[in-house]
């Protein structure tokens, strides 16, 4: 018997499981192992695009909501603290004295004399107009804003919050200007103890300044936050 011809020779094992003529013919066992390796690499974050497309969106989605919630908590606590201050202190200048217990009236007198606040000792007419607006417009808004910001993600608060912040900052400008630049010794409208030194004037400014700064933060937050701006854009569409 002669040697078998070339056409009848058995194929080698390597030829059965290797690419032929440039075509991909991977072995079933090797293809399964490679698929599992690629899957495990993606699951662990070792894929080729994991560091490019995965890490940056994760930082944005995790960081932005946390920052937004911190600001919302700050604003919610601000409005919550404003309710007793308005009810028990500020409005004594425009509401009947009989509505307040002696303890609250004594507390207001102590503050006005201790900090030498002329606006609450003998409130001028223009300051009473601000307090009347605080009673009619701001006080009903305080519990609503407290609920919205402490709960979070209440996009409907955007427009009322912008109106409140602009109104409050507008009233604080003449108040702070009075503390800084008014000559109380010559002004006949102010009675009682008045700030005489620069330190006393700056102390009064520091008491009222948060009611200018926090509404300013509120205004910027409502105008610049992508979360609250998105709601407005969707309504316009």
């Amino acid at each position: 018997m002669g040697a078998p011809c070339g056409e009848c020779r058995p194929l080698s094992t390597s030829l059965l499981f290797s690419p032929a003529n440039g075509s991909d013919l991977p072995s079933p066992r090797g293809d399964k192992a490679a698929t599992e390796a690629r899957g495990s690499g993606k699951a662990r974050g070792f894929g080729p695009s994991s560091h490019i497309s995965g890490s940056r969106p994760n930082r944005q989605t995790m960081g932005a909501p946390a920052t937004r919630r911190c600001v919302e908590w700050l604003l919610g606590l601000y409005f919550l603290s404003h309710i007793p201050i308005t009810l028990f202190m500020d409005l004594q200048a425009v509401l009947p004295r009989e509505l307040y217990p002696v303890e609250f009236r004594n507390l207001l007198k102590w503050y006005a004399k201790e900090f030498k606040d002329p606006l609450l000792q003998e409130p001028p007419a223009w300051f009473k107009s601000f307090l009347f607006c605080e009673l009619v417009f701001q006080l009903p808004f305080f519990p609503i804003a407290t609920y919205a910001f402490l709960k979070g993600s209440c996009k409907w608060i955007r427009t009322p919050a912008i109106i409140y912040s602009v109104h409050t900052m507008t009233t604080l400008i003449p108040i702070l200007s009075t503390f800084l630049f008014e000559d109380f010794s010559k002004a006949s409208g102010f009675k009682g103890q008045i700030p005489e030194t620069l330190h006393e004037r700056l102390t009064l400014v520091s008491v009222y300044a948060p009611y200018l700064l926090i509404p300013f933060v509120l205004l910027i937050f409502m105008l610049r936050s992508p979360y609250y701006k998105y709601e407005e854009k969707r309504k316009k569409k």
Side-chain angles (χ1 to χ4, degrees):
M1 297 283 302
C5 63
E7 296 178 355
C8 300
R9 291 176 183 173
L11 295 174
S12 64
T13 306
S14 61
L15 290 177
L16 287 173
F17 299 104
S18 63
N21 298 329
S23 61
D24 293 335
L25 296 173
S27 67
R29 188 172 184 179
D31 182 58
K32 183 178 180 181
T35 303
E36 292 177 354
R38 285 196 299 268
S40 62
K42 290 181 180 179
R44 296 179 183 179
F46 296 119
S49 61
S50 62
H51 294 288
I52 298 175
S53 61
S55 60
R56 188 173 300 173
N58 286 339
R59 283 198 298 267
Q60 292 178 354
T61 55
M62 291 299 292
T67 303
R68 188 183 77 240
R69 284 303 294 145
C70 289
V71 178
E72 288 175 341
W73 269 95
L74 171 66
L75 296 172
L77 294 176
Y78 163 79
F79 284 110
L80 180 63
S81 66
H82 215 318
I83 296 174
I85 294 175
T86 298
L87 282 175
F88 303 133
M89 296 289 288
D90 296 348
L91 296 183
Q92 289 192 44
V94 293
L95 295 179
R97 296 177 68 254
E98 293 76 14
L99 295 177
Y100 292 93
V102 178
E103 292 78 10
F104 288 129
R105 285 182 284 177
N106 291 337
L107 179 62
L108 180 62
K109 290 180 181 179
W110 170 85
Y111 159 77
K113 293 182 178 180
E114 182 70 21
F115 290 88
K116 297 184 177 181
D117 189 341
L119 297 181
L120 287 178
Q121 293 182 65
E122 295 290 337
W126 62 267
F127 186 68
K128 286 184 177 181
S129 67
F130 291 168
L131 296 177
F132 182 77
C133 291
E134 187 175 356
L135 169 64
V136 176
F137 300 109
Q138 296 186 25
L139 184 59
F141 176 69
F142 291 158
I144 298 174
T146 300
Y147 166 80
F149 287 115
L150 291 183
K151 181 178 182 294
S153 303
C154 296
K155 297 181 180 180
W156 48 264
I157 199 64
R158 183 176 189 266
T159 300
I162 292 175
I163 296 174
Y164 163 80
S165 60
V166 173
H167 168 72
T168 304
M169 288 189 297
T170 303
T171 61
L172 262 292
I173 292 174
I175 293 174
L176 297 180
S177 300
T178 300
F179 292 150
L180 290 174
F181 307 116
E182 181 67 56
D183 187 359
F184 294 103
S185 61
K186 297 180 180 179
S188 58
F190 297 100
K191 300 177 182 179
Q193 296 187 1
I194 56 176
E196 299 175 353
T197 64
L198 178 61
H199 179 267
E200 293 173 345
R201 290 175 182 266
L202 293 179
T203 300
L204 277 175
V205 170
S206 66
V207 172
Y208 283 79
Y211 302 98
L212 174 67
L213 297 178
I214 297 182
F216 177 74
V217 172
L218 172 62
L219 178 63
I220 298 301
F221 182 57
M222 293 292 103
L223 294 178
R224 302 296 298 173
S225 173
Y227 180 80
Y228 288 96
K229 288 174 64 177
Y230 174 75
E231 179 71 11
E232 290 294 321
K233 291 180 180 178
R234 191 176 66 179
K235 287 182 179 180
K236 291 179 181 179
K237 291 180 181 180

